[in-house]
Amino acid sequence: MGSFDFITFFFLIAAVVIFLQLRSVLGRRTGSERPPFDPYSPRDIAQGPEAKDGGKVVQLPRRDRSEEDESRYAAIDSYAKPGTPLNGQLRAMNEADPEFEPGEFLNGAKMAYEMIVMAFADGDRKTLKGLLSREVYEGFEAAIAEREAKGEVVKSTFVGIEKADIVHAEQKGSEANVTVRIISQLISATYDKQGKLIDGDADSVAEVNDLWTFARDVRSRDPNWKLIATESEN
């Protein structure tokens, strides 16, 4: 029985010591402590976690909207000087079609130009139909049909494009229109049904200056542009 009282007394002393140590570490409640942060409390929602943390929360800097705009228009500004009418036209084009970029558009326009010129010379209606608007195709097709009816043959060699520049861009409803001035070099000669040269020169390179306007519906998933107007500057 004595050993039992000694063990009981020992654990009682240990419990008192532990209690005193915890009290010194945790402190006493005085009634003036802040309540714990409650994310659903209107007061704590208004203050937010930053207020509860004494303003020590570090917030990441937000990117200024003007910086985003400058980044978005960087390719356009490098192509057309900011403040010029063309720059404004291209920016408006990009707003309607965020995928529009002058350099990429010109690369496609130059490829289309060569394909159209050669398809017209060869009488390739299938290729032309996929690259031209209905009105322009009808004009090209009529010229090819007339040439074939006369028995005339065109022989052409596309040398290359010397220069291509966007000169105008506008939005007409959902249709984007871009006009390009293209300076190309071409060898072209037209022969009658007897094989006699009637137009052009088979031995010399001619410079051709064209204004071509391409268009596409920005609402369409089809990314391809079609030729809707042609004008020669020669």
Side-chain angles (χ1 to χ4, degrees):
M1 187 71 177
S3 62
F4 175 78
D5 292 339
F6 175 77
I7 293 173
T8 302
F9 179 75
F10 174 80
F11 280 109
L12 180 62
I13 295 298
V16 171
V17 172
I18 292 172
F19 172 77
L20 292 174
Q21 289 179 340
L22 287 173
R23 188 174 184 181
S24 66
V25 173
L26 300 177
R28 300 179 181 178
R29 292 185 62 85
T30 64
S32 61
E33 294 87 353
R34 288 187 177 184
F37 175 72
D38 181 0
Y40 300 101
S41 166
R43 174 180 54 80
D44 288 340
I45 290 174
Q47 291 179 350
E50 181 177 355
K52 302 301 292 182
D53 213 9
K56 295 181 181 179
V57 176
V58 179
Q59 295 185 345
L60 295 176
R62 295 181 179 179
R63 189 172 183 181
D64 189 82
R65 180 60 184 269
S66 60
E67 293 180 2
E68 293 180 358
D69 290 343
E70 290 306 314
S71 175
R72 175 180 179 179
Y73 298 130
I76 291 174
D77 291 346
S78 66
Y79 181 81
K81 186 177 179 181
T84 61
L86 181 59
N87 181 274
Q89 294 166 9
L90 295 177
R91 285 192 175 212
M93 188 71 61
N94 181 266
E95 290 173 4
D97 180 8
E99 299 298 320
F100 178 82
E101 194 274 312
E104 292 182 4
F105 170 82
L106 279 177
N107 288 336
K110 288 188 286 187
M111 291 176 60
Y113 181 87
E114 179 178 355
M115 292 175 65
I116 292 171
V117 168
M118 295 309 298
F120 177 71
D122 297 337
D124 183 354
R125 292 175 172 82
K126 183 178 180 180
T127 297
L128 291 174
K129 201 164 189 176
L131 296 170
L132 311 178
S133 68
R134 181 177 58 83
E135 294 80 4
V136 175
Y137 174 76
E138 289 175 354
F140 276 48
E141 201 281 330
I144 292 173
E146 181 181 358
R147 192 173 67 205
E148 291 174 342
K150 294 179 179 179
E152 298 175 351
V153 176
V154 177
K155 294 184 179 180
S156 295
T157 300
F158 190 84
V159 178
I161 293 177
E162 185 177 323
K163 192 175 182 182
D165 295 306
I166 298 174
V167 296
H168 185 75
E170 65 178 328
Q171 194 76 21
K172 294 183 176 180
S174 64
E175 185 181 81
N177 292 356
V178 181
T179 301
V180 184
R181 176 178 286 109
I182 300 175
I183 302 175
S184 64
Q185 294 181 331
L186 183 71
I187 299 174
S188 181
T190 303
Y191 301 87
D192 62 16
K193 58 184 178 181
Q194 283 80 34
K196 180 181 178 182
L197 178 67
I198 57 175
D199 188 35
D201 190 337
D203 298 319
S204 64
V205 177
E207 182 177 276
V208 181
N209 297 296
D210 286 315
L211 279 177
W212 283 19
T213 300
F214 296 88
R216 70 175 292 267
D217 188 338
V218 296
R219 299 174 304 182
S220 172
R221 293 183 179 180
D222 184 358
N224 296 317
W225 296 70
K226 287 193 174 184
L227 180 66
I228 64 169
T230 64
E231 181 181 345
S232 178
E233 291 192 322
N234 286 346

